[in-house]
Amino acid sequence: MSQQPPGEPVEAALAAEGLPTPDVVIEPDADRLARAVASALVARLAAAQAVHGTASVVLTGGGIGTAVLERVAALAAEPEHAVVDWTAVDVWWGDERFVPADSPDRNELGARAAFLGRVGLDPERIHPMPSSDAGFDEPEEAAAWYAGELAAVAGEGRALPRIDVLLLGMGPEGHVASIFPESPAASDERPVVAVRDCPKPPPTRVSLGFPAITAAEEVWLLVSGEGKADAVAEALSGADRLQLPAAGARGRRATRWLLDTAAASKLPRA
């Protein structure tokens, strides 16, 4: 596993805000990337449980996100990697398509097949975003309900629970979760937002907003493929989050860009 620092502009900007500089980890290909992220995620959740007794993770969809979950489930089945008490892990989502519950477009369905149904999670600790047939007429209602779920778990008058790791994919134009460039969601200050007229189908979604994303202890961006290399380089050069939302995805304690060689191909060489 090799690491490469981001350029000076983003380092200076983060230092001014009191935030840690992102870590950049580069693996040779998407398969090696999924394996490395899965191992790191298991270790991070185990470490969180050692301190807090519980752990929490926000899942992402997409090809690399699903591949990571498949690898995590495989690790959980191996005795030597059985270091996480999966009954004490809270699972959330970064975004979801506002479609019927049985739609193949749902990130939840992919996660259940790849991971949730294979590791013995407590059903009460699985927190899917509402589907369009769950009794909510509008995505705004679903977003408000999910914000309430986050607050209920957080307790003590807080809006958000502790999130140990928040996983994000990134689109070739730099979107994360369902926050697209120059969209209303990019400047929305609510923890959960409704997204309409999304440029990528399906057009109606529910997404965590930046206040929830940046409240996570660690944010991990999982990016694979040459088609995303320009956006990776731009995000790590200090781009504005309104024009390139991935640039605003930062964790309180750590931000990790986890890339394959193709996705990292436009980064400056040390």
Side-chain angles (χ1 to χ4, degrees), residues 104-181:
D105 286 327
R106 292 270 298 174
N107 287 329
E108 179 192 354
L109 262 63
R112 288 192 181 278
F115 170 64
L116 301 182
R118 300 170 58 189
V119 298
L121 290 157
D122 179 352
E124 296 297 316
R125 289 182 175 270
I126 300 174
H127 309 279
M129 289 181 165
S131 59
S132 62
D133 55 358
F136 299 97
D137 293 331
E138 304 293 344
E140 288 80 6
E141 296 174 12
W145 179 89
Y146 205 66
E149 285 291 288
L150 288 161
V153 172
E156 301 177 0
R158 299 170 58 210
L160 296 164
R162 188 192 78 253
I163 300 295
D164 296 302
V165 180
L166 188 146
L167 303 174
L168 290 171
M170 186 194 74
E173 75 299 280
H175 87 266
V176 289
S178 284
I179 304 175
F180 284 78

Side-chain angles (χ1 to χ4, degrees), residues 9 12 21 27 30 44 58 61 67 90 102 112 133 158 165 188 207 230 233 239 268:
T21 301
E27 293 291 342
R44 181 66 185 85
V58 172
D90 279 285
D102 60 356
R112 288 192 181 278
D133 55 358
R158 299 170 58 210
V165 180
D188 200 307
S207 177
D230 285 330

Side-chain angles (χ1 to χ4, degrees), residues 217-261:
E217 296 294 297
E218 298 188 13
V219 171
W220 296 8
L221 294 107
L222 322 179
V223 190
S224 172
E226 188 176 1
K228 300 178 181 181
D230 285 330
V232 168
E234 187 176 352
L236 282 168
S237 69
D240 183 83
R241 84 177 196 189
L242 296 179
Q243 279 70 50
L244 203 145
R250 304 167 187 164
R252 292 178 63 248
R253 299 185 182 277
T255 304
R256 306 184 73 192
W257 283 79
L258 305 166
L259 314 170
D260 66 5
T261 301

